[in-house]
Amino acid sequence: AQRVTQPEKLLSVFKGAPVELKCNYSYSGSPELFWYVQYSRQRLQLLLRHISRESIKGFTADLNKGETSFHLKKPFAQEEDSAMYYCALSGSSNTGKLIFGQGTTLQVKP
Amino acid sequence: DAGVTQSPTHLIKTRGQQVTLRCSPKSGHDTVSWYQQALGQGPQFIFQYYEEEERQRGNFPDRFSGHQFPNYSSELNVNALLLGDSALYLCASSPRDRDVSPLHFGNGTRLTVT
C-alpha cells in the first residue's frame, strides 16, 4: 500500500536549535518525494522536492531509499519556520495525485 | 497572477443536499486536482482533470463528481451529503507538460454538513 507517515503531530524547538521533521513512506516503485508547508493563514505551498536537491529557506531533505525516509532538516530553526509541514509522495511523473502524510506542526519558540 | 482561486470560501449544507465547489487554476496551468482535507489530517486526493476529462481518481464514492471547462476551470460536485463530508476541499493546479509538476494550491472551501 502507498502510504506516507509523519510520526510527530507536533515538534516544538527553541530558536537556533536544529530541526528534523520525520517522514517515512511505503511505495513499491520509485516515488517522487516532496515537502509542502502551510504558514498561518496562507495556502499550502511547495517547500522542496527531492529531485531538485535544493536547499530552500535553509531546509534540506535527503531521500533514503534503504530506510524509505525523506526527513526534513534545518540546522538552526527560526521563529518564522513555525508552520504545518506535510510530506507527500507522487507515484509517477506528471501527475496531480499526491499522497500526503498527516502533517507535523513545527513550533519554534523564542 | 491571482494563483489558484476557489469559491465559495465557506459553505454550510444539510445532510442529503448537493453542493458544487468551483476552482480557477493558476494562469498557464491546464490540469486541476481536487483534495479533501479532514480536520487534523493531510489532504486526500479525490480526482484529477485535464482536457476536460477525469484522468485519475482516488478512493472516493461516485457521489463525488467533477467537471472541467474549456477554460480549464473546474467544479467539484458532491451529492447526498453526509456529515462525514465536512472538510476543507482544496483545488490544485499544475501544467501538464512538465515532469512531476509541483502543485499550486488554492485556499480551499470549508464545507460544513449539519
Side-chain angles (χ1 to χ4, degrees):
Chain A
Q2 301 173 13
R3 184 181 296 128
V4 175
T5 303
Q6 294 179 248
E8 304 138 329
K9 287 188 81 74
L10 172 66
L11 182 63
S12 186
V13 302
F14 285 102
K15 176 183 171 182
V19 170
E20 183 178 50
L21 298 168
K22 290 184 166 51
C23 172
N24 289 91
Y25 67 90
S26 172
Y27 187 75
S28 56
S30 296
E32 301 290 347
L33 274 296
F34 304 83
W35 278 98
Y36 277 81
V37 61
Q38 187 166 29
Y39 300 102
S40 179
R41 286 189 283 277
Q42 293 188 28
R43 62 188 66 192
L44 195 60
Q45 58 187 288
L46 178 69
L47 178 62
L48 56 79
R49 49 201 287 193
H50 90 270
I51 59 172
S52 300
R53 305 186 73 83
E54 295 174 304
S55 171
I56 306 294
K57 299 185 179 183
F59 284 99
T60 59
D62 289 320
L63 180 60
N64 186 323
K65 293 185 178 181
E67 295 183 0
T68 60
S69 68
F70 188 56
H71 302 327
L72 183 68
K73 300 177 184 179
K74 184 169 182 176
F76 308 104
Q78 303 298 315
E79 288 182 68
E80 56 265 30
D81 296 329
S82 296
M84 175 69 88
Y85 291 80
Y86 292 97
C87 181
L89 171 161
S90 173
S92 60
S93 64
N94 213 13
T95 178
K97 181 180 180 181
L98 289 178
I99 298 167
F100 283 87
Q102 289 191 311
T104 299
T105 300
L106 174 63
Q107 184 183 74
V108 181
K109 296 178 285 189
Chain B
D1 181 7
V4 179
T5 58
Q6 292 186 243
S7 63
T9 54
H10 295 85
L11 206 49
I12 300 175
K13 289 286 190 178
T14 303
R15 191 171 46 183
Q17 286 187 316
Q18 178 264 344
V19 69
T20 298
L21 310 181
R22 296 178 175 80
C23 170
S24 292
K26 180 179 167 64
S27 177
H29 289 186
D30 58 1
T31 300
V32 172
S33 303
W34 286 92
Y35 287 79
Q36 181 195 66
Q37 186 173 19
L39 203 59
Q41 303 295 317
Q44 272 197 292
F45 177 77
I46 303 175
F47 41 53
Q48 180 193 51
Y49 277 82
Y50 59 85
E51 294 182 345
E52 302 178 46
E53 289 191 21
E54 182 183 299
R55 301 295 179 170
Q56 289 195 85
R57 190 178 182 92
N59 190 24
F60 279 81
D62 292 344
R63 298 186 298 108
F64 289 77
S65 63
H67 189 76
Q68 186 179 35
F69 299 93
N71 67 353
Y72 309 124
S73 65
S74 177
E75 288 181 350
L76 164 65
N77 300 293
V78 186
N79 293 323
L81 284 166
L82 303 174
L83 296 179
D85 295 332
S86 294
L88 181 67
Y89 288 85
L90 296 170
C91 172
S93 72
S94 58
R96 200 160 64 85
D97 60 354
R98 286 202 202 152
D99 289 338
V100 199
S101 311
L103 298 182
H104 290 252
F105 283 86
N107 283 321
T109 294
R110 172 75 61 188
L111 173 65
T112 303
V113 182
T114 62

